[in-house]
PDB file of all heavy atoms in Angstrom:
ATOM      1  N   SER A 289       2.748 -18.397   2.606  1.00 92.00           N
ATOM      2  CA  SER A 289       3.145 -18.678   3.994  1.00 92.00           C
ATOM      3  C   SER A 289       4.587 -18.181   4.269  1.00 92.00           C
ATOM      4  O   SER A 289       4.885 -17.426   5.238  1.00 92.00           O
ATOM      5  CB  SER A 289       3.041 -20.138   4.232  1.00 92.00           C
ATOM      6  OG  SER A 289       3.619 -20.425   5.497  1.00 92.00           O
ATOM      7  N   LYS A 290       5.535 -18.490   3.404  1.00 92.00           N
ATOM      8  CA  LYS A 290       6.876 -18.057   3.604  1.00 92.00           C
ATOM      9  C   LYS A 290       7.089 -16.621   3.560  1.00 92.00           C
ATOM     10  O   LYS A 290       7.791 -15.979   4.473  1.00 92.00           O
ATOM     11  CB  LYS A 290       7.866 -18.705   2.518  1.00 92.00           C
ATOM     12  CG  LYS A 290       7.873 -20.228   2.560  1.00 92.00           C
ATOM     13  CD  LYS A 290       8.706 -20.745   3.636  1.00 92.00           C
ATOM     14  CE  LYS A 290      10.128 -20.629   3.352  1.00 92.00           C
ATOM     15  NZ  LYS A 290      10.973 -21.489   4.326  1.00 92.00           N
ATOM     16  N   ILE A 291       6.519 -15.906   2.600  1.00 88.00           N
ATOM     17  CA  ILE A 291       6.712 -14.493   2.506  1.00 88.00           C
ATOM     18  C   ILE A 291       5.927 -13.735   3.617  1.00 88.00           C
ATOM     19  O   ILE A 291       6.470 -12.813   4.221  1.00 88.00           O
ATOM     20  CB  ILE A 291       6.235 -14.038   1.065  1.00 88.00           C
ATOM     21  CG1 ILE A 291       7.246 -14.535   0.027  1.00 88.00           C
ATOM     22  CG2 ILE A 291       6.146 -12.448   1.061  1.00 88.00           C
ATOM     23  CD1 ILE A 291       6.743 -14.353  -1.422  1.00 88.00           C
ATOM     24  N   GLY A 292       4.759 -14.248   3.899  1.00 86.00           N
ATOM     25  CA  GLY A 292       3.884 -13.597   4.964  1.00 86.00           C
ATOM     26  C   GLY A 292       4.624 -13.662   6.292  1.00 86.00           C
ATOM     27  O   GLY A 292       4.624 -12.696   7.013  1.00 86.00           O
ATOM     28  N   ASP A 293       5.186 -14.849   6.579  1.00 84.00           N
ATOM     29  CA  ASP A 293       5.850 -14.969   7.862  1.00 84.00           C
ATOM     30  C   ASP A 293       7.021 -14.030   7.990  1.00 84.00           C
ATOM     31  O   ASP A 293       7.318 -13.441   9.026  1.00 84.00           O
ATOM     32  CB  ASP A 293       6.326 -16.355   8.080  1.00 84.00           C
ATOM     33  CG  ASP A 293       5.318 -17.383   8.339  1.00 84.00           C
ATOM     34  OD1 ASP A 293       4.143 -16.982   8.636  1.00 84.00           O
ATOM     35  OD2 ASP A 293       5.538 -18.639   8.278  1.00 84.00           O
ATOM     36  N   LYS A 294       7.727 -13.816   6.867  1.00 82.00           N
ATOM     37  CA  LYS A 294       8.908 -12.935   6.880  1.00 82.00           C
ATOM     38  C   LYS A 294       8.531 -11.468   7.060  1.00 82.00           C
ATOM     39  O   LYS A 294       9.137 -10.775   7.831  1.00 82.00           O
ATOM     40  CB  LYS A 294       9.806 -13.171   5.545  1.00 82.00           C
ATOM     41  CG  LYS A 294      11.027 -12.403   5.518  1.00 82.00           C
ATOM     42  CD  LYS A 294      11.973 -12.712   6.672  1.00 82.00           C
ATOM     43  CE  LYS A 294      12.447 -14.186   6.592  1.00 82.00           C
ATOM     44  NZ  LYS A 294      13.331 -14.531   7.691  1.00 82.00           N
ATOM     45  N   ILE A 295       7.552 -11.044   6.259  1.00 78.00           N
ATOM     46  CA  ILE A 295       7.260  -9.601   6.303  1.00 78.00           C
ATOM     47  C   ILE A 295       6.494  -9.149   7.598  1.00 78.00           C
ATOM     48  O   ILE A 295       6.508  -8.009   7.932  1.00 78.00           O
ATOM     49  CB  ILE A 295       6.513  -9.147   5.043  1.00 78.00           C
ATOM     50  CG1 ILE A 295       5.125  -9.881   4.894  1.00 78.00           C
ATOM     51  CG2 ILE A 295       7.410  -9.363   3.821  1.00 78.00           C
ATOM     52  CD1 ILE A 295       4.412  -9.338   3.725  1.00 78.00           C
ATOM     53  N   ARG A 296       5.751 -10.075   8.158  1.00 78.00           N
ATOM     54  CA  ARG A 296       5.047  -9.690   9.402  1.00 78.00           C
ATOM     55  C   ARG A 296       5.937  -9.169  10.520  1.00 78.00           C
ATOM     56  O   ARG A 296       5.520  -8.357  11.331  1.00 78.00           O
ATOM     57  CB  ARG A 296       4.304 -10.965   9.888  1.00 78.00           C
ATOM     58  CG  ARG A 296       2.927 -11.094   9.224  1.00 78.00           C
ATOM     59  CD  ARG A 296       2.056 -12.153   9.802  1.00 78.00           C
ATOM     60  NE  ARG A 296       1.094 -12.653   8.846  1.00 78.00           N
ATOM     61  CZ  ARG A 296       1.213 -13.631   8.022  1.00 78.00           C
ATOM     62  NH1 ARG A 296       2.318 -14.376   8.130  1.00 78.00           N
ATOM     63  NH2 ARG A 296       0.295 -13.902   7.177  1.00 78.00           N
ATOM     64  N   LYS A 297       7.221  -9.631  10.553  1.00 77.00           N
ATOM     65  CA  LYS A 297       8.055  -9.239  11.594  1.00 77.00           C
ATOM     66  C   LYS A 297       8.664  -7.821  11.290  1.00 77.00           C
ATOM     67  O   LYS A 297       9.217  -7.175  12.243  1.00 77.00           O
ATOM     68  CB  LYS A 297       9.118 -10.258  11.941  1.00 77.00           C
ATOM     69  CG  LYS A 297      10.223 -10.455  10.917  1.00 77.00           C
ATOM     70  CD  LYS A 297      11.191 -11.504  11.442  1.00 77.00           C
ATOM     71  CE  LYS A 297      12.401 -11.529  10.558  1.00 77.00           C
ATOM     72  NZ  LYS A 297      13.347 -12.520  11.013  1.00 77.00           N
ATOM     73  N   PHE A 298       8.523  -7.323  10.075  1.00 73.00           N
ATOM     74  CA  PHE A 298       9.125  -6.078   9.737  1.00 73.00           C
ATOM     75  C   PHE A 298       8.139  -4.983   9.452  1.00 73.00           C
ATOM     76  O   PHE A 298       8.388  -3.796   9.670  1.00 73.00           O
ATOM     77  CB  PHE A 298      10.015  -6.234   8.414  1.00 73.00           C
ATOM     78  CG  PHE A 298      11.231  -6.954   8.646  1.00 73.00           C
ATOM     79  CD1 PHE A 298      11.357  -8.245   8.191  1.00 73.00           C
ATOM     80  CD2 PHE A 298      12.347  -6.480   9.313  1.00 73.00           C
ATOM     81  CE1 PHE A 298      12.536  -9.019   8.408  1.00 73.00           C
ATOM     82  CE2 PHE A 298      13.474  -7.172   9.483  1.00 73.00           C
ATOM     83  CZ  PHE A 298      13.554  -8.438   9.006  1.00 73.00           C
ATOM     84  N   VAL A 299       6.974  -5.390   9.026  1.00 70.00           N
ATOM     85  CA  VAL A 299       5.903  -4.378   8.458  1.00 70.00           C
ATOM     86  C   VAL A 299       4.873  -4.089   9.580  1.00 70.00           C
ATOM     87  O   VAL A 299       4.292  -5.041  10.147  1.00 70.00           O
ATOM     88  CB  VAL A 299       5.260  -4.831   7.205  1.00 70.00           C
ATOM     89  CG1 VAL A 299       4.298  -3.891   6.689  1.00 70.00           C
ATOM     90  CG2 VAL A 299       6.329  -5.091   6.146  1.00 70.00           C
ATOM     91  N   THR A 300       4.610  -2.877   9.775  1.00 73.00           N
ATOM     92  CA  THR A 300       3.549  -2.506  10.837  1.00 73.00           C
ATOM     93  C   THR A 300       2.307  -1.916  10.224  1.00 73.00           C
ATOM     94  O   THR A 300       1.316  -1.795  10.917  1.00 73.00           O
ATOM     95  CB  THR A 300       4.163  -1.402  11.834  1.00 73.00           C
ATOM     96  OG1 THR A 300       4.563  -0.344  11.099  1.00 73.00           O
ATOM     97  CG2 THR A 300       5.387  -2.001  12.531  1.00 73.00           C
ATOM     98  N   LYS A 301       2.366  -1.563   8.961  1.00 77.00           N
ATOM     99  CA  LYS A 301       1.173  -0.948   8.265  1.00 77.00           C
ATOM    100  C   LYS A 301       0.710  -1.920   7.074  1.00 77.00           C
ATOM    101  O   LYS A 301       1.488  -2.777   6.777  1.00 77.00           O
ATOM    102  CB  LYS A 301       1.446   0.436   7.768  1.00 77.00           C
ATOM    103  CG  LYS A 301       1.812   1.378   8.894  1.00 77.00           C
ATOM    104  CD  LYS A 301       1.991   2.776   8.460  1.00 77.00           C
ATOM    105  CE  LYS A 301       2.329   3.647   9.616  1.00 77.00           C
ATOM    106  NZ  LYS A 301       2.711   4.985   9.250  1.00 77.00           N
ATOM    107  N   PRO A 302      -0.369  -1.646   6.477  1.00 72.00           N
ATOM    108  CA  PRO A 302      -0.904  -2.460   5.384  1.00 72.00           C
ATOM    109  C   PRO A 302       0.120  -2.499   4.288  1.00 72.00           C
ATOM    110  O   PRO A 302       0.865  -1.619   3.975  1.00 72.00           O
ATOM    111  CB  PRO A 302      -2.130  -1.854   4.993  1.00 72.00           C
ATOM    112  CG  PRO A 302      -2.599  -1.076   6.099  1.00 72.00           C
ATOM    113  CD  PRO A 302      -1.352  -0.561   6.812  1.00 72.00           C
ATOM    114  N   ILE A 303       0.155  -3.662   3.555  1.00 81.00           N
ATOM    115  CA  ILE A 303       1.008  -3.903   2.459  1.00 81.00           C
ATOM    116  C   ILE A 303       0.351  -4.521   1.335  1.00 81.00           C
ATOM    117  O   ILE A 303      -0.715  -5.081   1.453  1.00 81.00           O
ATOM    118  CB  ILE A 303       2.250  -4.779   2.862  1.00 81.00           C
ATOM    119  CG1 ILE A 303       1.709  -6.101   3.337  1.00 81.00           C
ATOM    120  CG2 ILE A 303       3.118  -4.124   3.866  1.00 81.00           C
ATOM    121  CD1 ILE A 303       2.692  -7.227   3.275  1.00 81.00           C
ATOM    122  N   HIS A 304       0.927  -4.463   0.197  1.00 88.00           N
ATOM    123  CA  HIS A 304       0.470  -5.143  -1.029  1.00 88.00           C
ATOM    124  C   HIS A 304       1.666  -5.953  -1.544  1.00 88.00           C
ATOM    125  O   HIS A 304       2.748  -5.332  -1.773  1.00 88.00           O
ATOM    126  CB  HIS A 304      -0.024  -4.200  -2.068  1.00 88.00           C
ATOM    127  CG  HIS A 304      -0.421  -4.835  -3.371  1.00 88.00           C
ATOM    128  ND1 HIS A 304      -1.448  -5.614  -3.538  1.00 88.00           N
ATOM    129  CD2 HIS A 304       0.308  -4.963  -4.540  1.00 88.00           C
ATOM    130  CE1 HIS A 304      -1.503  -6.038  -4.742  1.00 88.00           C
ATOM    131  NE2 HIS A 304      -0.421  -5.664  -5.428  1.00 88.00           N
ATOM    132  N   VAL A 305       1.532  -7.317  -1.749  1.00 90.00           N
ATOM    133  CA  VAL A 305       2.546  -8.142  -2.218  1.00 90.00           C
ATOM    134  C   VAL A 305       2.023  -8.839  -3.500  1.00 90.00           C
ATOM    135  O   VAL A 305       0.976  -9.363  -3.495  1.00 90.00           O
ATOM    136  CB  VAL A 305       2.974  -9.130  -1.207  1.00 90.00           C
ATOM    137  CG1 VAL A 305       4.055 -10.067  -1.807  1.00 90.00           C
ATOM    138  CG2 VAL A 305       3.457  -8.511  -0.004  1.00 90.00           C
ATOM    139  N   HIS A 306       2.832  -8.716  -4.534  1.00 93.00           N
ATOM    140  CA  HIS A 306       2.497  -9.442  -5.824  1.00 93.00           C
ATOM    141  C   HIS A 306       3.537 -10.381  -6.170  1.00 93.00           C
ATOM    142  O   HIS A 306       4.760  -9.821  -6.326  1.00 93.00           O
ATOM    143  CB  HIS A 306       2.275  -8.385  -6.906  1.00 93.00           C
ATOM    144  CG  HIS A 306       1.757  -8.971  -8.226  1.00 93.00           C
ATOM    145  ND1 HIS A 306       0.533  -9.317  -8.422  1.00 93.00           N
ATOM    146  CD2 HIS A 306       2.554  -9.305  -9.271  1.00 93.00           C
ATOM    147  CE1 HIS A 306       0.416  -9.889  -9.659  1.00 93.00           C
ATOM    148  NE2 HIS A 306       1.647  -9.861 -10.207  1.00 93.00           N
ATOM    149  N   VAL A 307       3.325 -11.588  -6.237  1.00 95.00           N
ATOM    150  CA  VAL A 307       4.287 -12.640  -6.625  1.00 95.00           C
ATOM    151  C   VAL A 307       4.003 -13.248  -7.918  1.00 95.00           C
ATOM    152  O   VAL A 307       2.903 -13.667  -8.180  1.00 95.00           O
ATOM    153  CB  VAL A 307       4.386 -13.769  -5.489  1.00 95.00           C
ATOM    154  CG1 VAL A 307       5.374 -14.813  -5.859  1.00 95.00           C
ATOM    155  CG2 VAL A 307       4.590 -13.157  -4.135  1.00 95.00           C
ATOM    156  N   THR A 308       5.015 -13.263  -8.773  1.00 97.00           N
ATOM    157  CA  THR A 308       4.850 -13.951 -10.119  1.00 97.00           C
ATOM    158  C   THR A 308       5.750 -15.116 -10.259  1.00 97.00           C
ATOM    159  O   THR A 308       6.885 -14.986  -9.897  1.00 97.00           O
ATOM    160  CB  THR A 308       5.171 -12.832 -11.221  1.00 97.00           C
ATOM    161  OG1 THR A 308       4.419 -11.725 -11.001  1.00 97.00           O
ATOM    162  CG2 THR A 308       4.891 -13.403 -12.594  1.00 97.00           C
ATOM    163  N   PHE A 309       5.150 -16.151 -10.789  1.00 97.00           N
ATOM    164  CA  PHE A 309       5.941 -17.410 -11.051  1.00 97.00           C
ATOM    165  C   PHE A 309       6.055 -17.543 -12.569  1.00 97.00           C
ATOM    166  O   PHE A 309       5.032 -17.436 -13.235  1.00 97.00           O
ATOM    167  CB  PHE A 309       5.285 -18.620 -10.494  1.00 97.00           C
ATOM    168  CG  PHE A 309       4.983 -18.536  -8.990  1.00 97.00           C
ATOM    169  CD1 PHE A 309       3.710 -18.217  -8.551  1.00 97.00           C
ATOM    170  CD2 PHE A 309       5.985 -18.822  -8.117  1.00 97.00           C
ATOM    171  CE1 PHE A 309       3.487 -18.119  -7.244  1.00 97.00           C
ATOM    172  CE2 PHE A 309       5.667 -18.704  -6.726  1.00 97.00           C
ATOM    173  CZ  PHE A 309       4.463 -18.438  -6.230  1.00 97.00           C
ATOM    174  N   SER A 310       7.239 -17.914 -13.068  1.00 97.00           N
ATOM    175  CA  SER A 310       7.326 -18.095 -14.545  1.00 97.00           C
ATOM    176  C   SER A 310       8.339 -19.225 -14.779  1.00 97.00           C
ATOM    177  O   SER A 310       9.232 -19.515 -13.917  1.00 97.00           O
ATOM    178  CB  SER A 310       7.811 -16.830 -15.248  1.00 97.00           C
ATOM    179  OG  SER A 310       8.960 -16.401 -14.819  1.00 97.00           O
ATOM    180  N   VAL A 311       8.185 -19.880 -15.930  1.00 97.00           N
ATOM    181  CA  VAL A 311       9.073 -20.990 -16.348  1.00 97.00           C
ATOM    182  C   VAL A 311       9.464 -20.725 -17.713  1.00 97.00           C
ATOM    183  O   VAL A 311       8.652 -20.485 -18.595  1.00 97.00           O
ATOM    184  CB  VAL A 311       8.415 -22.359 -16.169  1.00 97.00           C
ATOM    185  CG1 VAL A 311       9.377 -23.451 -16.618  1.00 97.00           C
ATOM    186  CG2 VAL A 311       8.004 -22.563 -14.682  1.00 97.00           C
ATOM    187  N   ASP A 312      10.794 -20.741 -17.992  1.00 96.00           N
ATOM    188  CA  ASP A 312      11.351 -20.613 -19.314  1.00 96.00           C
ATOM    189  C   ASP A 312      12.308 -21.805 -19.498  1.00 96.00           C
ATOM    190  O   ASP A 312      13.374 -21.832 -18.998  1.00 96.00           O
ATOM    191  CB  ASP A 312      12.040 -19.335 -19.629  1.00 96.00           C
ATOM    192  CG  ASP A 312      12.593 -19.121 -20.964  1.00 96.00           C
ATOM    193  OD1 ASP A 312      12.018 -19.783 -21.853  1.00 96.00           O
ATOM    194  OD2 ASP A 312      13.575 -18.383 -21.104  1.00 96.00           O
ATOM    195  N   LYS A 313      11.868 -22.806 -20.254  1.00 93.00           N
ATOM    196  CA  LYS A 313      12.636 -24.027 -20.466  1.00 93.00           C
ATOM    197  C   LYS A 313      12.817 -24.735 -19.127  1.00 93.00           C
ATOM    198  O   LYS A 313      11.907 -25.147 -18.418  1.00 93.00           O
ATOM    199  CB  LYS A 313      13.909 -23.855 -21.257  1.00 93.00           C
ATOM    200  CG  LYS A 313      13.610 -23.345 -22.667  1.00 93.00           C
ATOM    201  CD  LYS A 313      14.857 -23.326 -23.484  1.00 93.00           C
ATOM    202  CE  LYS A 313      14.442 -22.785 -24.879  1.00 93.00           C
ATOM    203  NZ  LYS A 313      15.593 -22.725 -25.793  1.00 93.00           N
ATOM    204  N   HIS A 314      14.097 -24.701 -18.611  1.00 94.00           N
ATOM    205  CA  HIS A 314      14.398 -25.290 -17.290  1.00 94.00           C
ATOM    206  C   HIS A 314      14.617 -24.320 -16.214  1.00 94.00           C
ATOM    207  O   HIS A 314      15.056 -24.755 -15.105  1.00 94.00           O
ATOM    208  CB  HIS A 314      15.588 -26.201 -17.424  1.00 94.00           C
ATOM    209  CG  HIS A 314      15.346 -27.473 -18.394  1.00 94.00           C
ATOM    210  ND1 HIS A 314      14.460 -28.452 -18.093  1.00 94.00           N
ATOM    211  CD2 HIS A 314      15.832 -27.622 -19.628  1.00 94.00           C
ATOM    212  CE1 HIS A 314      14.476 -29.238 -19.099  1.00 94.00           C
ATOM    213  NE2 HIS A 314      15.265 -28.814 -20.024  1.00 94.00           N
ATOM    214  N   THR A 315      14.368 -23.081 -16.476  1.00 97.00           N
ATOM    215  CA  THR A 315      14.683 -22.032 -15.567  1.00 97.00           C
ATOM    216  C   THR A 315      13.287 -21.565 -14.950  1.00 97.00           C
ATOM    217  O   THR A 315      12.463 -21.064 -15.661  1.00 97.00           O
ATOM    218  CB  THR A 315      15.317 -20.804 -16.121  1.00 97.00           C
ATOM    219  OG1 THR A 315      16.609 -21.306 -16.730  1.00 97.00           O
ATOM    220  CG2 THR A 315      15.675 -19.779 -15.137  1.00 97.00           C
ATOM    221  N   HIS A 316      13.192 -21.685 -13.673  1.00 98.00           N
ATOM    222  CA  HIS A 316      12.031 -21.206 -12.888  1.00 98.00           C
ATOM    223  C   HIS A 316      12.430 -19.907 -12.233  1.00 98.00           C
ATOM    224  O   HIS A 316      13.478 -19.691 -11.648  1.00 98.00           O
ATOM    225  CB  HIS A 316      11.590 -22.208 -11.824  1.00 98.00           C
ATOM    226  CG  HIS A 316      11.291 -23.504 -12.386  1.00 98.00           C
ATOM    227  ND1 HIS A 316      11.316 -24.633 -11.567  1.00 98.00           N
ATOM    228  CD2 HIS A 316      10.855 -23.919 -13.536  1.00 98.00           C
ATOM    229  CE1 HIS A 316      10.961 -25.724 -12.295  1.00 98.00           C
ATOM    230  NE2 HIS A 316      10.681 -25.303 -13.549  1.00 98.00           N
ATOM    231  N   THR A 317      11.412 -18.914 -12.345  1.00 98.00           N
ATOM    232  CA  THR A 317      11.700 -17.545 -11.763  1.00 98.00           C
ATOM    233  C   THR A 317      10.562 -17.183 -10.883  1.00 98.00           C
ATOM    234  O   THR A 317       9.443 -17.378 -11.104  1.00 98.00           O
ATOM    235  CB  THR A 317      11.874 -16.579 -12.926  1.00 98.00           C
ATOM    236  OG1 THR A 317      12.856 -16.940 -13.818  1.00 98.00           O
ATOM    237  CG2 THR A 317      12.157 -15.242 -12.406  1.00 98.00           C
ATOM    238  N   VAL A 318      10.955 -16.568  -9.731  1.00 97.00           N
ATOM    239  CA  VAL A 318       9.924 -15.999  -8.813  1.00 97.00           C
ATOM    240  C   VAL A 318      10.274 -14.528  -8.659  1.00 97.00           C
ATOM    241  O   VAL A 318      11.465 -14.206  -8.388  1.00 97.00           O
ATOM    242  CB  VAL A 318      10.007 -16.694  -7.410  1.00 97.00           C
ATOM    243  CG1 VAL A 318       9.074 -16.005  -6.428  1.00 97.00           C
ATOM    244  CG2 VAL A 318       9.695 -18.210  -7.530  1.00 97.00           C
ATOM    245  N   HIS A 319       9.334 -13.712  -8.925  1.00 97.00           N
ATOM    246  CA  HIS A 319       9.453 -12.249  -8.806  1.00 97.00           C
ATOM    247  C   HIS A 319       8.469 -11.748  -7.761  1.00 97.00           C
ATOM    248  O   HIS A 319       7.241 -12.163  -7.711  1.00 97.00           O
ATOM    249  CB  HIS A 319       9.210 -11.612 -10.077  1.00 97.00           C
ATOM    250  CG  HIS A 319       9.303 -10.107 -10.062  1.00 97.00           C
ATOM    251  ND1 HIS A 319      10.546  -9.361 -10.244  1.00 97.00           N
ATOM    252  CD2 HIS A 319       8.411  -9.141  -9.734  1.00 97.00           C
ATOM    253  CE1 HIS A 319      10.323  -8.109 -10.121  1.00 97.00           C
ATOM    254  NE2 HIS A 319       9.031  -7.930  -9.793  1.00 97.00           N
ATOM    255  N   CYS A 320       8.985 -10.989  -6.785  1.00 95.00           N
ATOM    256  CA  CYS A 320       8.103 -10.515  -5.714  1.00 95.00           C
ATOM    257  C   CYS A 320       8.215  -8.971  -5.684  1.00 95.00           C
ATOM    258  O   CYS A 320       9.296  -8.389  -5.538  1.00 95.00           O
ATOM    259  CB  CYS A 320       8.515 -11.071  -4.352  1.00 95.00           C
ATOM    260  SG  CYS A 320       7.565 -10.464  -2.985  1.00 95.00           S
ATOM    261  N   HIS A 321       7.035  -8.298  -5.759  1.00 94.00           N
ATOM    262  CA  HIS A 321       6.958  -6.836  -5.652  1.00 94.00           C
ATOM    263  C   HIS A 321       6.160  -6.511  -4.408  1.00 94.00           C
ATOM    264  O   HIS A 321       5.009  -6.944  -4.236  1.00 94.00           O
ATOM    265  CB  HIS A 321       6.268  -6.235  -6.853  1.00 94.00           C
ATOM    266  CG  HIS A 321       6.215  -4.792  -6.890  1.00 94.00           C
ATOM    267  ND1 HIS A 321       5.280  -4.096  -7.602  1.00 94.00           N
ATOM    268  CD2 HIS A 321       6.863  -3.838  -6.190  1.00 94.00           C
ATOM    269  CE1 HIS A 321       5.405  -2.780  -7.404  1.00 94.00           C
ATOM    270  NE2 HIS A 321       6.412  -2.679  -6.566  1.00 94.00           N
ATOM    271  N   LEU A 322       6.831  -5.747  -3.487  1.00 89.00           N
ATOM    272  CA  LEU A 322       6.134  -5.482  -2.154  1.00 89.00           C
ATOM    273  C   LEU A 322       6.073  -3.975  -1.992  1.00 89.00           C
ATOM    274  O   LEU A 322       7.045  -3.276  -2.152  1.00 89.00           O
ATOM    275  CB  LEU A 322       7.048  -6.062  -1.064  1.00 89.00           C
ATOM    276  CG  LEU A 322       6.447  -5.990   0.296  1.00 89.00           C
ATOM    277  CD1 LEU A 322       6.912  -7.264   1.109  1.00 89.00           C
ATOM    278  CD2 LEU A 322       7.011  -4.755   1.052  1.00 89.00           C
ATOM    279  N   VAL A 323       4.815  -3.446  -1.713  1.00 88.00           N
ATOM    280  CA  VAL A 323       4.600  -2.022  -1.484  1.00 88.00           C
ATOM    281  C   VAL A 323       4.027  -1.920  -0.079  1.00 88.00           C
ATOM    282  O   VAL A 323       3.014  -2.608   0.197  1.00 88.00           O
ATOM    283  CB  VAL A 323       3.606  -1.419  -2.465  1.00 88.00           C
ATOM    284  CG1 VAL A 323       3.361   0.027  -2.142  1.00 88.00           C
ATOM    285  CG2 VAL A 323       4.184  -1.586  -3.907  1.00 88.00           C
ATOM    286  N   GLY A 324       4.792  -1.225   0.746  1.00 79.00           N
ATOM    287  CA  GLY A 324       4.369  -1.103   2.147  1.00 79.00           C
ATOM    288  C   GLY A 324       3.793   0.196   2.547  1.00 79.00           C
ATOM    289  O   GLY A 324       4.246   1.236   2.053  1.00 79.00           O
ATOM    290  N   GLY A 325       2.814   0.244   3.486  1.00 77.00           N
ATOM    291  CA  GLY A 325       2.301   1.370   3.951  1.00 77.00           C
ATOM    292  C   GLY A 325       3.291   2.179   4.857  1.00 77.00           C
ATOM    293  O   GLY A 325       3.073   3.413   5.114  1.00 77.00           O
ATOM    294  N   ASP A 326       4.399   1.618   5.182  1.00 70.00           N
ATOM    295  CA  ASP A 326       5.436   2.236   5.862  1.00 70.00           C
ATOM    296  C   ASP A 326       6.310   3.164   4.920  1.00 70.00           C
ATOM    297  O   ASP A 326       7.311   3.715   5.385  1.00 70.00           O
ATOM    298  CB  ASP A 326       6.378   1.287   6.513  1.00 70.00           C
ATOM    299  CG  ASP A 326       5.701   0.574   7.708  1.00 70.00           C
ATOM    300  OD1 ASP A 326       4.652   1.059   8.184  1.00 70.00           O
ATOM    301  OD2 ASP A 326       6.168  -0.490   8.147  1.00 70.00           O
ATOM    302  N   GLY A 327       5.943   3.229   3.649  1.00 76.00           N
ATOM    303  CA  GLY A 327       6.639   4.093   2.682  1.00 76.00           C
ATOM    304  C   GLY A 327       7.754   3.436   1.936  1.00 76.00           C
ATOM    305  O   GLY A 327       8.709   4.120   1.509  1.00 76.00           O
ATOM    306  N   PHE A 328       7.728   2.140   1.724  1.00 77.00           N
ATOM    307  CA  PHE A 328       8.706   1.495   0.967  1.00 77.00           C
ATOM    308  C   PHE A 328       8.157   0.659  -0.187  1.00 77.00           C
ATOM    309  O   PHE A 328       7.002   0.294  -0.228  1.00 77.00           O
ATOM    310  CB  PHE A 328       9.664   0.655   1.829  1.00 77.00           C
ATOM    311  CG  PHE A 328       9.010  -0.465   2.477  1.00 77.00           C
ATOM    312  CD1 PHE A 328       8.897  -1.621   1.922  1.00 77.00           C
ATOM    313  CD2 PHE A 328       8.565  -0.284   3.834  1.00 77.00           C
ATOM    314  CE1 PHE A 328       8.222  -2.747   2.655  1.00 77.00           C
ATOM    315  CE2 PHE A 328       7.985  -1.307   4.507  1.00 77.00           C
ATOM    316  CZ  PHE A 328       7.808  -2.514   3.921  1.00 77.00           C
ATOM    317  N   ASN A 329       9.064   0.457  -1.213  1.00 87.00           N
ATOM    318  CA  ASN A 329       8.714  -0.376  -2.432  1.00 87.00           C
ATOM    319  C   ASN A 329       9.844  -1.209  -2.703  1.00 87.00           C
ATOM    320  O   ASN A 329      10.927  -0.678  -3.078  1.00 87.00           O
ATOM    321  CB  ASN A 329       8.395   0.737  -3.451  1.00 87.00           C
ATOM    322  CG  ASN A 329       7.861   0.087  -4.753  1.00 87.00           C
ATOM    323  OD1 ASN A 329       7.733  -1.125  -4.848  1.00 87.00           O
ATOM    324  ND2 ASN A 329       7.667   0.939  -5.716  1.00 87.00           N
ATOM    325  N   LEU A 330       9.669  -2.527  -2.598  1.00 89.00           N
ATOM    326  CA  LEU A 330      10.769  -3.447  -2.894  1.00 89.00           C
ATOM    327  C   LEU A 330      10.502  -4.367  -4.032  1.00 89.00           C
ATOM    328  O   LEU A 330       9.296  -4.807  -4.107  1.00 89.00           O
ATOM    329  CB  LEU A 330      11.082  -4.277  -1.484  1.00 89.00           C
ATOM    330  CG  LEU A 330      11.448  -3.537  -0.345  1.00 89.00           C
ATOM    331  CD1 LEU A 330      11.514  -4.596   0.757  1.00 89.00           C
ATOM    332  CD2 LEU A 330      12.721  -2.797  -0.519  1.00 89.00           C
ATOM    333  N   GLU A 331      11.433  -4.793  -4.770  1.00 94.00           N
ATOM    334  CA  GLU A 331      11.296  -5.829  -5.779  1.00 94.00           C
ATOM    335  C   GLU A 331      12.499  -6.768  -5.634  1.00 94.00           C
ATOM    336  O   GLU A 331      13.610  -6.383  -5.545  1.00 94.00           O
ATOM    337  CB  GLU A 331      11.228  -5.208  -7.171  1.00 94.00           C
ATOM    338  CG  GLU A 331       9.998  -4.541  -7.374  1.00 94.00           C
ATOM    339  CD  GLU A 331       9.682  -4.210  -8.918  1.00 94.00           C
ATOM    340  OE1 GLU A 331       9.746  -5.267  -9.748  1.00 94.00           O
ATOM    341  OE2 GLU A 331       9.499  -3.063  -9.189  1.00 94.00           O
TER     342      GLU A 331
END
């Protein structure tokens, strides 16, 4: 919901978003890789 709401206002073509959640002891990590049909690739 949070990521979808954010990217909808910027992206006009199809996209692929991959989100990874991981936990190492007490550290939680979120990694997001976004590939847009508008020709960009963000991590």
Side-chain angles (χ1 to χ4, degrees):
S289 172
K290 298 286 279 192
I291 293 169
D293 289 347
K294 185 57 66 181
I295 61 177
R296 278 188 200 94
K297 71 180 190 179
F298 291 103
V299 179
T300 59
K301 295 184 180 173
I303 58 159
H304 173 76
V305 179
H306 183 79
V307 179
T308 305
F309 305 99
S310 61
V311 178
D312 181 26
K313 297 187 181 182
H314 298 289
T315 303
H316 299 159
T317 303
V318 176
H319 179 89
C320 179
H321 181 203
L322 186 144
V323 178
D326 290 342
F328 59 87
N329 186 1
L330 302 175
E331 289 193 56

